Amino acid sequence: MSANIFDRRRVNGPPRSVEPLYTDEGDVKPFTNGGRADGRSLDQLRPIFIKTGPLAVQPTFSPTAPSGSAYYEQGKIRISCAVYGPRQGRKSNPRMGSFDCDFQYAPFSCSWKRRPHIKGADEKEIALILEQAMAPAIRLEAYPKACIDAFVTVIESDGKFATISAAINCISAALADAGIELYDIVAACSMSLNASQWVSDCNQAEEDVSQCSLFVSRMPSADEITYLLQQGKTMPDQTDRAVQTCSNSCARVYAVLSRYLQASMEQPAS
């Protein structure tokens, strides 16, 4: 047998390659002199970018096309969400529909390690959190015997609790883009405790050195908290203060989502 047989399983590299840009963040302390390394104030959120409909394909009647989709950025966090449905549900309920969520990290999404292709236990746990946080806002009784599926992919992560909060915001935008009937848009925000001070929207480096982290998902118009998760120990008054601050931050995120969705509806159809 000849030794120069072409191996179809091997992907040849490009003729010219460019070295990636590496950021040296190993020696940078997340908190210096009572402030933050990126210059933000303690209650300041990272800039938010939203776009709905990025996963739409042509023609629109294709069975693989999602009913709605959204792309969400918050600092270094990048998340995409595709919503399918309402469609015939696997769990038939004559009174109300069901909402299912699938959550997955991209293999290259985490800077500290490479994620495996097989879904881990933490991803399944986050998927359940997203379902419970979003289900109260969806009018499931309007879709009997139907199922609404949301598929969330984390392209880049920067803080576990901040990523979960961003995923909830992305799902809200995707559900609105799909035309799903909602009681209200769910907005989420995270905080971490560092030296008795609560810090909003922490990145991964800031969460790593914090004593406690939590996130709150809330329907601001209905004034109802849909989910609250805390990791770490705090005093009751500290938790109350953090929940109140998170609720105020959720109102700001809600304003950004509402302004974008309203502007997208006012744009003329192409």
Side-chain angles (χ1 to χ4, degrees):
M1 182 179 294
S2 176
N4 57 355
I5 298 178
F6 180 73
D7 188 358
R8 297 182 180 272
R9 297 172 297 178
R10 180 174 297 174
V11 179
N12 295 325
R16 179 177 177 272
S17 61
V18 179
E19 184 177 0
L21 299 177
Y22 298 97
T23 57
D24 187 12
E25 298 179 352
D27 298 333
V28 178
K29 296 182 179 180
F31 298 102
T32 55
N33 299 326
R36 309 175 74 170
D38 55 6
R40 288 185 291 151
S41 60
L42 297 180
D43 61 344
Q44 184 177 357
L45 305 179
R46 286 173 283 186
I48 296 174
F49 172 81
I50 315 168
K51 182 177 178 58
T52 54
L55 303 181
V57 297
Q58 298 295 334
T60 56
F61 55 80
S62 172
T64 59
S67 304
S69 59
Y71 173 77
Y72 186 91
E73 283 187 7
Q74 189 166 345
K76 292 184 178 181
I77 299 175
R78 293 170 176 82
I79 297 177
S80 66
C81 175
V83 172
Y84 293 84
R87 55 187 178 182
Q88 184 176 1
R90 297 174 295 276
K91 304 175 184 178
S92 180
N93 189 334
R95 294 186 177 181
M96 64 171 53
S98 62
F99 173 71
D100 296 325
C101 183
D102 181 88
F103 179 89
Q104 188 169 11
Y105 287 100
F108 48 82
S109 60
C110 301
S111 59
W112 62 94
K113 69 174 181 178
R114 183 172 179 83
R115 305 286 307 196
H117 290 281
I118 302 175
K119 191 174 300 183
D122 58 336
E123 293 170 307
K124 297 178 182 179
E125 180 183 0
I126 294 175
L128 293 176
I129 292 174
L130 299 179
E131 290 178 8
Q132 297 175 14
M134 292 301 307
I138 305 174
R139 290 196 59 205
L140 295 176
E141 69 275 5
Y143 307 102
K145 299 183 180 181
C147 180
I148 301 171
D149 299 316
F151 295 87
V152 180
T153 301
V154 178
I155 303 171
E156 186 172 358
S157 174
D158 192 18
K160 177 182 177 181
F161 281 75
T163 300
I164 297 175
S165 302
I168 293 174
N169 300 330
C170 187
I171 295 174
S172 294
L175 288 173
D177 182 61
I180 303 299
E181 295 187 29
L182 304 173
Y183 292 109
D184 194 9
I185 297 175
V186 180
C189 183
S190 64
M191 299 197 75
S192 295
L193 182 64
N194 177 71
S196 73
Q197 289 183 323
W198 285 105
V199 185
S200 299
D201 190 22
C202 290
N203 55 32
Q204 187 63 53
E206 293 171 338
E207 284 190 6
D208 289 340
V209 299
S210 299
Q211 298 94 335
C212 175
S213 296
L214 64 82
F215 85 90
V216 173
S217 62
R218 184 169 176 266
M219 295 189 290
S221 295
D223 193 16
E224 179 181 346
I225 292 178
T226 62
Y227 203 93
L228 189 154
L229 178 64
Q230 176 176 331
Q231 184 178 35
K233 296 181 180 181
T234 57
M235 300 299 292
D237 58 332
Q238 291 178 319
T239 301
D240 292 341
R241 187 168 68 252
V243 172
Q244 183 60 41
T245 306
C246 260
S247 299
N248 297 335
S249 299
C250 288
R252 286 185 281 170
V253 175
Y254 178 84
V256 174
L257 292 171
S258 300
R259 283 199 301 267
Y260 172 80
L261 293 174
Q262 184 177 2
S264 63
M265 293 180 63
E266 293 176 353
Q267 291 178 357
S270 58

mmCIF file of all heavy atoms in Angstrom, residues 125 129 160-161 164 213-216 227-231:
data_model
loop_
_atom_site.group_PDB
_atom_site.id
_atom_site.type_symbol
_atom_site.label_atom_id
_atom_site.label_comp_id
_atom_site.label_asym_id
_atom_site.label_seq_id
_atom_site.Cartn_x
_atom_site.Cartn_y
_atom_site.Cartn_z
ATOM 1 N N GLU A 125 -28.196 21.675 35.305
ATOM 2 C CA GLU A 125 -28.720 22.421 36.441
ATOM 3 C C GLU A 125 -29.101 23.838 36.029
ATOM 4 O O GLU A 125 -30.150 24.356 36.426
ATOM 5 C CB GLU A 125 -27.677 22.456 37.553
ATOM 6 C CG GLU A 125 -28.125 23.221 38.789
ATOM 7 C CD GLU A 125 -27.038 23.293 39.843
ATOM 8 O OE1 GLU A 125 -25.946 22.757 39.601
ATOM 9 O OE2 GLU A 125 -27.280 23.896 40.902
ATOM 10 N N ILE A 129 -32.727 25.979 36.040
ATOM 11 C CA ILE A 129 -32.856 27.322 36.605
ATOM 12 C C ILE A 129 -33.515 28.262 35.601
ATOM 13 O O ILE A 129 -34.414 29.046 35.948
ATOM 14 C CB ILE A 129 -31.477 27.850 37.026
ATOM 15 C CG1 ILE A 129 -30.937 27.040 38.213
ATOM 16 C CG2 ILE A 129 -31.535 29.329 37.378
ATOM 17 C CD1 ILE A 129 -29.512 27.402 38.596
ATOM 18 N N LYS A 160 -19.964 33.086 36.262
ATOM 19 C CA LYS A 160 -21.049 32.114 36.216
ATOM 20 C C LYS A 160 -22.408 32.767 36.435
ATOM 21 O O LYS A 160 -23.332 32.597 35.636
ATOM 22 C CB LYS A 160 -20.814 31.028 37.264
ATOM 23 C CG LYS A 160 -21.941 29.999 37.345
ATOM 24 C CD LYS A 160 -21.690 28.968 38.435
ATOM 25 C CE LYS A 160 -22.872 27.998 38.541
ATOM 26 N NZ LYS A 160 -22.662 26.994 39.613
ATOM 27 N N PHE A 161 -22.540 33.536 37.514
ATOM 28 C CA PHE A 161 -23.832 34.135 37.823
ATOM 29 C C PHE A 161 -24.185 35.223 36.816
ATOM 30 O O PHE A 161 -25.354 35.396 36.467
ATOM 31 C CB PHE A 161 -23.818 34.694 39.246
ATOM 32 C CG PHE A 161 -23.999 33.653 40.308
ATOM 33 C CD1 PHE A 161 -22.966 32.794 40.648
ATOM 34 C CD2 PHE A 161 -25.205 33.506 40.961
ATOM 35 C CE1 PHE A 161 -23.128 31.824 41.616
ATOM 36 C CE2 PHE A 161 -25.378 32.537 41.941
ATOM 37 C CZ PHE A 161 -24.338 31.697 42.269
ATOM 38 N N ILE A 164 -25.549 33.393 33.741
ATOM 39 C CA ILE A 164 -26.928 32.941 33.915
ATOM 40 C C ILE A 164 -27.895 34.107 33.760
ATOM 41 O O ILE A 164 -28.945 33.997 33.106
ATOM 42 C CB ILE A 164 -27.097 32.268 35.282
ATOM 43 C CG1 ILE A 164 -26.234 31.006 35.374
ATOM 44 C CG2 ILE A 164 -28.557 31.914 35.536
ATOM 45 C CD1 ILE A 164 -26.253 30.344 36.738
ATOM 46 N N SER A 213 -22.085 35.135 45.995
ATOM 47 C CA SER A 213 -22.644 35.620 44.734
ATOM 48 C C SER A 213 -24.115 35.244 44.673
ATOM 49 O O SER A 213 -24.520 34.198 45.199
ATOM 50 C CB SER A 213 -21.902 35.015 43.528
ATOM 51 O OG SER A 213 -20.551 35.427 43.496
ATOM 52 N N LEU A 214 -24.903 36.095 44.039
ATOM 53 C CA LEU A 214 -26.325 35.805 43.854
ATOM 54 C C LEU A 214 -26.810 36.482 42.587
ATOM 55 O O LEU A 214 -26.170 37.406 42.067
ATOM 56 C CB LEU A 214 -27.155 36.247 45.061
ATOM 57 C CG LEU A 214 -27.248 37.727 45.433
ATOM 58 C CD1 LEU A 214 -28.293 38.487 44.618
ATOM 59 C CD2 LEU A 214 -27.600 37.880 46.898
ATOM 60 N N PHE A 215 -27.951 36.008 42.096
ATOM 61 C CA PHE A 215 -28.609 36.690 40.990
ATOM 62 C C PHE A 215 -30.109 36.670 41.231
ATOM 63 O O PHE A 215 -30.648 35.792 41.915
ATOM 64 C CB PHE A 215 -28.255 36.050 39.632
ATOM 65 C CG PHE A 215 -29.111 34.879 39.248
ATOM 66 C CD1 PHE A 215 -30.278 35.050 38.525
ATOM 67 C CD2 PHE A 215 -28.740 33.595 39.618
ATOM 68 C CE1 PHE A 215 -31.062 33.964 38.179
ATOM 69 C CE2 PHE A 215 -29.521 32.514 39.280
ATOM 70 C CZ PHE A 215 -30.690 32.696 38.553
ATOM 71 N N VAL A 216 -30.776 37.659 40.680
ATOM 72 C CA VAL A 216 -32.217 37.832 40.817
ATOM 73 C C VAL A 216 -32.806 38.016 39.425
ATOM 74 O O VAL A 216 -32.299 38.818 38.626
ATOM 75 C CB VAL A 216 -32.563 39.049 41.701
ATOM 76 C CG1 VAL A 216 -34.062 39.308 41.700
ATOM 77 C CG2 VAL A 216 -32.070 38.833 43.120
ATOM 78 N N TYR A 227 -37.073 34.274 40.250
ATOM 79 C CA TYR A 227 -36.052 33.342 40.720
ATOM 80 C C TYR A 227 -34.978 34.121 41.467
ATOM 81 O O TYR A 227 -34.632 35.255 41.102
ATOM 82 C CB TYR A 227 -35.411 32.574 39.560
ATOM 83 C CG TYR A 227 -34.788 31.250 39.966
ATOM 84 C CD1 TYR A 227 -35.512 30.069 39.892
ATOM 85 C CD2 TYR A 227 -33.483 31.190 40.437
ATOM 86 C CE1 TYR A 227 -34.950 28.856 40.279
ATOM 87 C CE2 TYR A 227 -32.917 29.984 40.820
ATOM 88 C CZ TYR A 227 -33.658 28.823 40.743
ATOM 89 O OH TYR A 227 -33.095 27.625 41.137
ATOM 90 N N LEU A 228 -34.457 33.485 42.519
ATOM 91 C CA LEU A 228 -33.355 34.054 43.301
ATOM 92 C C LEU A 228 -32.438 32.902 43.705
ATOM 93 O O LEU A 228 -32.899 31.910 44.254
ATOM 94 C CB LEU A 228 -33.878 34.787 44.536
ATOM 95 C CG LEU A 228 -32.863 35.624 45.345
ATOM 96 C CD1 LEU A 228 -33.585 36.739 46.080
ATOM 97 C CD2 LEU A 228 -32.096 34.764 46.352
ATOM 98 N N LEU A 229 -31.172 33.051 43.407
ATOM 99 C CA LEU A 229 -30.189 32.012 43.734
ATOM 100 C C LEU A 229 -28.984 32.669 44.398
ATOM 101 O O LEU A 229 -28.456 33.664 43.889
ATOM 102 C CB LEU A 229 -29.751 31.259 42.483
ATOM 103 C CG LEU A 229 -28.683 30.178 42.676
ATOM 104 C CD1 LEU A 229 -29.205 29.058 43.563
ATOM 105 C CD2 LEU A 229 -28.219 29.629 41.341
ATOM 106 N N GLN A 230 -28.567 32.125 45.529
ATOM 107 C CA GLN A 230 -27.408 32.636 46.254
ATOM 108 C C GLN A 230 -26.447 31.501 46.538
ATOM 109 O O GLN A 230 -26.852 30.412 46.929
ATOM 110 C CB GLN A 230 -27.841 33.306 47.563
ATOM 111 C CG GLN A 230 -26.680 33.775 48.429
ATOM 112 C CD GLN A 230 -27.129 34.524 49.665
ATOM 113 O OE1 GLN A 230 -28.167 35.162 49.666
ATOM 114 N NE2 GLN A 230 -26.340 34.441 50.733
ATOM 115 N N GLN A 231 -25.162 31.802 46.380
ATOM 116 C CA GLN A 231 -24.105 30.848 46.688
ATOM 117 C C GLN A 231 -23.137 31.510 47.658
ATOM 118 O O GLN A 231 -22.457 32.482 47.322
ATOM 119 C CB GLN A 231 -23.363 30.417 45.416
ATOM 120 C CG GLN A 231 -22.317 29.344 45.639
ATOM 121 C CD GLN A 231 -21.657 28.931 44.337
ATOM 122 O OE1 GLN A 231 -21.452 29.735 43.449
ATOM 123 N NE2 GLN A 231 -21.320 27.659 44.238
#
